[in-house]
Amino acid sequence: MEILRSIDEMKTYSKKLHVDGRKIGFVPTMGYLHEGHLSLVKRSHQENDATVVSIFVNPIQFGKGEDLACYPRDEKRDLKMIEPFVSAVFVPDASEMYPEGFVTFVEVGELTNSLCGRFRPGHFRGVATVVLKLLNIVNPDMAYFGKKDYQQFRVIERMVRDLNLSVEIIPCEIIREQSGLAMSSRNVYLSDKENGDAAVIHKALLDGKNDVLNGEKYSSKVTNHIESLLRTAESLKKIDYVSVVNPYTLQDVDTIEDNVVILIAAYFGNARLIDNIEVDKPAHE
Ligand code: PAF
């Protein structure tokens, strides 16, 4: 596995792969990898001739007062974990990605105003900008994104469509701990008690999904039910949102007639956790 730290090295490497006719799969990450990341890497490994992973804690997607400074990092462990499946890992530093004078950003409009966009202004502008840069540098055929970050996946998918990029965006299923808690690098912030309590997030989402499948049409009833379940957890500190949205527009749905996604963002201790569940209405309705 090649470890490439400069943009020039990465571009040259991927150009050579393309000249050799090899199909490139790409998994962008911020490191501190877990089984969720590994599932994306393994899928890319299966579906492509070469897999590139990037590890870059992107400063421009963190807001003031967020966890940029303490975001967990362990490059050595990350490299060991992915080595069997990966041809090259791109590990630039911030000055390589954002040299002095950098002023160009990508805005994906309406899709970034709801959900996490409301609570983390500028976050998706930072995500879209870095992902576009990474796609230009790595030039992959396929790029893999986990659906835990559902809004991120839809934002990237839209950017790729709107800007006519040639890459195919592949959404991948959420990987969970045994308790049901969605895997996240930020789970490391949780104490054992908070980690145990946070299992309520997935349980509440499953209950919400059941409400819809059992015929509940009013989103407010579903979100109230979910919020009341979340509030049974002692370590719940704050709920940012519980929302039932259209999967494509990410706008709130009041009366549920079609497929929806239910999303949660909530703090357990100091960790802001997000999770979601897709609800496909039965075909006969
Ligand atoms: O999901 C992440 O880890 C990040 O938002 C991403 C896509 C690597 C961009 O920094």
Side-chain angles (χ1 to χ4, degrees), residues 25 60 106 110 122 157 250:
I60 67 165
V106 181
E110 199 53 22
E157 181 187 62
L250 305 184

Side-chain angles (χ1 to χ4, degrees), residues 127-144:
V127 169
T129 302
V130 81
V131 171
L132 180 60
K133 280 173 69 72
L134 290 168
L135 292 174
N136 282 333
I137 294 163
V138 175
N139 196 14
D141 298 278
M142 324 257 266
Y144 295 79

Side-chain angles (χ1 to χ4, degrees), residues 24-268:
I24 303 176
F26 176 45
V27 182
T29 81
M30 298 208 299
Y32 212 69
L33 305 178
H34 49 68
E35 287 299 321
H37 295 111
L38 202 57
S39 72
L40 272 55
V41 170
K42 285 181 178 167
R43 180 154 171 204
S44 170
H45 178 65
Q46 271 173 9
E47 296 178 356
N48 299 278
D49 303 314
T51 290
V52 175
V53 171
S54 64
I55 298 177
F56 178 58
V57 181
N58 174 34
I60 67 165
Q61 71 186 72
F62 288 79
K64 267 201 194 106
E66 290 189 350
D67 55 344
L68 172 62
C70 62
Y71 196 83
R73 293 162 165 86
D74 191 341
E75 187 181 306
K76 219 168 131 188
R77 197 197 65 159
D78 289 347
L79 297 179
K80 204 166 157 209
M81 190 187 288
I82 56 177
E83 174 146 35
F85 313 102
V86 165
S87 307
V89 56
F90 178 47
V91 199
D93 65 20
S95 63
E96 180 72 1
M97 291 296 276
Y98 304 115
E100 238 183 84
F102 183 92
V103 290
T104 305
F105 296 88
V106 181
E107 296 277 0
V108 187
E110 199 53 22
L111 272 187
T112 65
N113 295 337
S114 61
L115 304 168
C116 285
R118 266 182 56 217
F119 294 88
R120 304 186 68 191
H123 170 65
F124 288 112
R125 176 188 201 243
V127 169
T129 302
V130 81
V131 171
L132 180 60
K133 280 173 69 72
L134 290 168
L135 292 174
N136 282 333
I137 294 163
V138 175
N139 196 14
D141 298 278
M142 324 257 266
Y144 295 79
F145 289 84
K147 281 201 276 188
K148 180 179 75 68
D149 298 286
Y150 192 85
Q151 187 172 18
Q152 169 172 283
F153 146 61
R154 288 296 184 200
V155 166
I156 299 302
E157 181 187 62
R158 181 66 65 87
M159 174 184 80
V160 162
R161 195 171 88 194
D162 287 354
L163 299 182
N164 310 103
L165 307 184
S166 308
V167 64
E168 190 181 338
I169 300 299
I170 313 290
C172 300
E173 293 312 316
I174 299 172
I175 304 297
R176 301 182 178 282
E177 294 182 10
Q178 221 166 17
S179 68
L181 177 64
M183 295 231 178
S184 164
S185 305
R186 287 188 167 101
N187 290 355
V188 72
Y189 300 148
L190 298 166
S191 67
D192 287 349
K193 159 86 174 138
E194 289 160 356
N195 187 298
D197 280 3
V200 75
I201 299 174
H202 182 54
K203 292 198 184 84
L205 285 168
L206 287 171
D207 271 34
K209 176 172 178 165
N210 268 335
D211 290 348
V212 178
L213 294 179
N214 288 330
E216 182 53 67
K217 291 256 179 257
Y218 295 108
S219 291
S220 58
K221 291 236 174 104
V222 179
T223 55
N224 286 342
H225 182 196
I226 290 177
E227 286 191 21
S228 69
L229 291 169
L230 291 178
R231 289 189 203 288
T232 62
E234 264 177 44
S235 335
L236 174 79
K237 197 153 133 198
K238 184 163 78 109
I239 298 175
D240 268 357
Y241 60 78
V242 175
S243 298
V244 179
V245 305
N246 173 293
Y248 302 101
T249 64
L250 305 184
Q251 293 302 304
D252 283 333
V253 167
D254 293 331
T255 312
I256 304 166
E257 315 274 9
D258 235 314
N259 297 351
V260 290
V261 186
I262 309 174
L263 301 98
I264 294 176
Y267 285 85
F268 281 71

